[in-house]
Amino acid sequence: MKRILTYGTYDLLHYGHIRLLKRAKQMGDYLIVALSTDDFNAIKNKKAYHNYETRKQMLEAIRYVDLVIPENTWDQKIDDVKTYQVDTVVMGSDWKDSERFECLRPYCEVVYLDRTEGVSTTQIKNDLKLQDPINGIDQLPEEKEK
Ligand code: C2G
């Protein structure tokens, strides 16, 4: 079974994200997404509109995604590749040749897929003039016990 791993914030999910996940899954049999936690986003100077739990549940609902794990630090990638027996790490081309991924080559294949032009979370926020969520009302409601 060929195991694929990718990383990201995946905020305000859009078709650029979906296309990346679809193509990544087509490269193997099992796709793991290491999703940036809210604390790690702060380190990346990114303020996600949706919190980690909401972004995680949205990713888990996508047919191409088999497992979502937390991305807490820049430095966990080699451990992730070993822990999850990853064959290939896939990222969008905005990460092409980044040392953060090139350093993985001794441990696994590294593939960069063309980034989808014309869409980004930042552009969506700007176009919608999105404010920060108020009291987290944008988050998924708690699942009621069935
Ligand atoms: N992406 C894409 N096309 C877009 C937007 C994003 O292909 N129009 C890809 C990115 O290249 C990335 C993935 O979708 O592979 C997730 O994008 P982000 O959520 O912006 O991820 P990023 O903040 O780049 O986090 O340690 C690595 C970081 O966690 C990557």
Side-chain angles (χ1 to χ4, degrees), residues 6-11 14 16-17 20 23 34 36 40 44 46 71 74 77 90-95 101 113-117 119-120:
T6 190
Y7 291 81
T9 297
Y10 287 96
D11 190 31
H14 55 66
H17 294 140
L20 188 286
R23 287 174 292 159
S36 306
F40 183 51
K44 293 199 294 187
K46 274 195 162 186
E71 180 188 26
W74 288 114
K77 297 184 175 64
V90 175
M91 290 299 290
S93 53
D94 45 317
W95 287 94
F101 292 96
L113 300 174
D114 284 351
R115 184 185 169 86
T116 302
E117 293 310 317
V119 65
S120 73

Side-chain angles (χ1 to χ4, degrees), residues 59-124:
L59 279 178
E60 287 171 340
I62 297 170
R63 69 174 71 175
Y64 310 118
V65 176
D66 295 291
L67 176 67
V68 179
I69 61 173
E71 180 188 26
N72 294 297
T73 69
W74 288 114
D75 308 321
Q76 69 182 69
K77 297 184 175 64
I78 293 173
D79 286 343
D80 291 344
V81 168
K82 290 177 180 173
T83 303
Y84 294 95
Q85 299 171 303
V86 169
D87 299 287
T88 306
V89 167
V90 175
M91 290 299 290
S93 53
D94 45 317
W95 287 94
K96 186 166 172 41
D97 301 332
S98 163
E99 189 47 34
R100 294 193 187 283
F101 292 96
E102 291 301 303
C103 68
L104 301 176
R105 288 197 185 281
Y107 307 95
C108 65
E109 188 186 14
V110 178
V111 174
Y112 303 103
L113 300 174
D114 284 351
R115 184 185 169 86
T116 302
E117 293 310 317
V119 65
S120 73
T121 301
T122 304
Q123 189 63 47
I124 293 169

